[in-house]
Amino acid sequence: MAMHGHLTPPKPGEELTVTFVDKEGEEHEFQVAQGDNLLDIAQSEELEMEGACGGSCACSTCHVIVESDDMYDKMDEPDDDENDMLDLAFGLTETSRLGCQVKMNKALNGLRVRLPSMTRNLQASDFSGAKKS
Amino acid sequence: MAVLGSGPAGFYTAYKVMSSIENAIIDMYECLPVPFGLVRFGVAPDHPEVKNCQDKFEEVASSPRFNFIGNVSIGKDLPLADLRPHYNAIIFAYGATKDRKLGISGEDRLKGIYSARDFVGWYNGFPEHQALAPDLESGEEAVIIGQGNVALDVARTLLSDVDSLRKTDMTHYALDALSKSKVNRVRVVGRRGPMQASFTIKEVRELLSLPSVSFDPIDPALLPPNAAKLSRSPKRLTQLLARGSSHPASQARKSWSLDFFLSPRSFNASKARPDYLSSLTFLKNELNGPDIFNSSATASPTTREISYPTSLAFRSIGYKSEAIDGMKDLGIDFDERRGIIPNDLHGRITSLSEDGTRIPGLYCSGWVKRGPAGVIANTMEDAFDTAESIAKDWENQETFLSGTNGWDALQGSVATKSLRPVSWDSWKKIDVAEKERGKAKGKEREKFANILDMLGVLD
């Protein structure tokens, strides 16, 4: 019952490769088209990524971590709106991005991103000082 | 399973339970005829994108394994104990229905003091608060006590050009009242400093960017001296606050300020108008070291007082969950002090006794589980966590309640009580009617703020 984005398949010869590493450490490699954003890709492939605000850069549920600094530097800088949301994300890193704001292009061919494990961080920070179960 | 509450906590829990337990059937109870809780009644009308999570909720509700039972209040219309024989699990996700009070002199007596929660409910068409009729015409100043995002929502509502709100789903009566508002100066007051405030940077940035609204510069001594050395979030916030607004006070119609290190001490009236607020007195606070820029630094009051004249004040120091009548019968000891249902931190409701044993089949999710804080993304993660607990317990064949037949069995007893449950299809009729009303005014939606009007659509 997941909501699937409907992505147009890449034209032969123009496939770009992107790899998602999920919370369990499992790798998922996909061939995608230029212009697809990471949230749409993840949702159309049924990965666990929510996109609560529907990809409008108003929440942090599509937080991804870019594995290599080089790749991160090849992306356009996040704007204030995206950075403001990232500041609320769990497990924020120096190479964190919102999936809905990262569009695939030739320079990003071979991109690898990790999906952060959020639940545990939430529990730990929200109940700091509380009785441990 | 029964889910009590149809806000983000209820829906995200239902969603995850339904996708992890094949054949799970969810009956979602909601005391109002309309769903979505604070997405409908809390999220600011000028933040429509935040409400996009409703798309997901619609998708959940369209499942044949999901029933919406609106307009039935568990604990009032239907005793909680009546649910027990009909479900394997009951999930409490009803959020925080009250707000915290200051407990200072004048708070309950003087006119002109409003709860921010009520005010937000008022402009969002929450039936309980639609008749609030806040007096925005007696004075030019407003003081908001508290510096969370609700406080900033109230500030933004008061400071925005009302024409910029007309296309939103803000209720017509609120737009009308705001168009007559005389308020042109808003103070947002907090107990601690800028680095301890609970607002998020996005909300501050929005306020600083409001057209024709100026911002009193923050004393640089209150901000960390070496912003560049801070970690990412405090660094960005410090830089934003230091930069302030680009709208000079001389050209602004309205202005606002963040006032720090102040604890409210009393609401005062003047001799001429003894029933009306005329000023607010605060005690100056000092932050306790060693690091006053640490986000968890605490404040201590001094003996110095400061008063601000104002005829309008909003209390915005947090929400609070309450127990539901009949919880005791299920063995739940609501934690009044923390305002939550005792649980194992993962949503399994536990007894308050030393061993904290799990009470079979009872779960909680969202604000009633962890306290009223955070944005929808936090509640989503929290709801997923509870759903995971339920799925794990089910898989491990832990004890659940042994009830059967859910709503099918309960419907009969509801009918004899002359209650009028609202199904999802009925809600969709109300939804369509609201959108049509809005269309006529060029708005996304014109909400019904009155329960009888909502039900009137179904006659």
Side-chain angles (χ1 to χ4, degrees), chain B residues 281-346:
Chain B
T281 303
F282 294 88
L283 274 186
K284 280 284 223 179
N285 289 334
E286 278 171 358
L287 279 188
N288 303 316
D291 179 8
I292 61 158
F293 299 121
N294 188 302
S295 65
S296 52
T298 55
S300 302
T302 65
T303 53
R304 281 173 293 146
E305 286 188 352
I306 181 166
S307 288
Y308 295 126
T310 187
S311 57
L312 180 61
F314 297 89
R315 171 183 73 222
S316 185
I317 55 166
Y319 290 4
K320 196 177 148 191
S321 295
E322 283 196 315
I324 291 182
D325 279 351
M327 274 186 159
K328 274 239 149 56
D329 303 334
L330 297 189
I332 302 173
D333 277 313
F334 191 83
D335 185 338
E336 296 288 348
R337 193 182 57 81
R338 299 176 63 203
I340 60 166
I341 297 175
N343 69 91
D344 71 342
L345 306 191
H346 296 290

Side-chain angles (χ1 to χ4, degrees), chain A residues 83-98:
Chain A
N83 273 324
D84 286 356
M85 287 300 128
L86 281 170
D87 277 353
L88 299 176
F90 307 112
L92 183 69
T93 71
E94 291 298 322
T95 60
S96 287
R97 292 297 305 258
L98 293 184

Side-chain angles (χ1 to χ4, degrees), chain B residues 59-101:
Chain B
E59 191 192 323
V60 172
S62 69
S63 163
R65 296 191 278 135
F66 178 93
N67 302 305
F68 178 72
I69 303 136
N71 202 31
V72 174
S73 176
I74 302 301
K76 291 197 180 87
D77 297 333
L78 199 61
L80 193 48
D82 286 10
L83 295 189
R84 198 186 150 100
H86 299 292
Y87 290 100
N88 290 127
I90 301 173
I91 303 157
F92 296 87
Y94 60 90
T97 45
K98 292 280 173 242
D99 78 318
R100 289 190 188 279
K101 301 187 86 170

Side-chain angles (χ1 to χ4, degrees), chain A residues 10-97:
Chain A
K11 287 186 195 128
E14 292 181 15
E15 298 94 345
L16 303 171
T17 306
V18 58
T19 304
F20 291 81
V21 183
D22 70 19
K23 290 172 198 173
E24 281 74 40
E26 220 166 288
E27 299 195 3
H28 309 263
E29 188 184 296
F30 307 115
Q31 304 295 316
V32 300
Q34 172 135 343
D36 292 347
N37 76 52
L38 297 182
L39 173 63
D40 287 345
I41 295 168
Q43 292 199 328
S44 72
E45 301 291 351
E46 299 192 37
L47 293 182
E48 258 190 76
M49 192 191 282
E50 248 345 284
C53 74
S56 59
C57 199
C59 73
S60 57
T61 54
C62 65
H63 174 202
V64 296
I65 297 162
V66 179
E67 283 202 339
S68 101
D69 292 350
D70 283 353
M71 272 298 182
Y72 180 86
D73 291 339
K74 284 180 192 165
M75 299 172 175
D76 293 333
E77 292 255 319
D79 61 13
D80 284 342
D81 285 344
E82 183 181 349
N83 273 324
D84 286 356
M85 287 300 128
L86 281 170
D87 277 353
L88 299 176
F90 307 112
L92 183 69
T93 71
E94 291 298 322
T95 60
S96 287
R97 292 297 305 258

Side-chain angles (χ1 to χ4, degrees), chain A residues 1-3 48 50 52-54 56 58 60-61 80 83-88 90 92 118-119 122-123 126-127 130-131 133, chain B residues 12 15-16 49 52-53 56 59-60 200-202 205 232-233 236 338 344-346 354 369-370 377-378 380-382 384-385:
Chain A
M1 57 178 290
M3 198 183 333
E48 258 190 76
E50 248 345 284
C53 74
S56 59
S60 57
T61 54
D80 284 342
N83 273 324
D84 286 356
M85 287 300 128
L86 281 170
D87 277 353
L88 299 176
F90 307 112
L92 183 69
M118 295 176 274
T119 313
L122 167 79
Q123 294 298 339
D126 273 19
F127 287 97
K131 195 175 104 179
S133 60
Chain B
Y12 278 123
Y15 162 57
K16 218 26 164 211
E49 64 286 351
N52 286 344
C53 57
K56 171 64 83 181
E59 191 192 323
V60 172
T200 58
I201 184 168
K202 176 198 171 185
R205 189 188 303 280
R232 178 193 155 114
S233 310
R236 298 187 67 248
R338 299 176 63 203
D344 71 342
L345 306 191
H346 296 290
E354 279 297 299
K369 166 187 173 191
R370 67 186 165 91
N378 305 122
M380 183 191 86
E381 282 307 319
D382 178 75
F384 286 179
D385 174 60

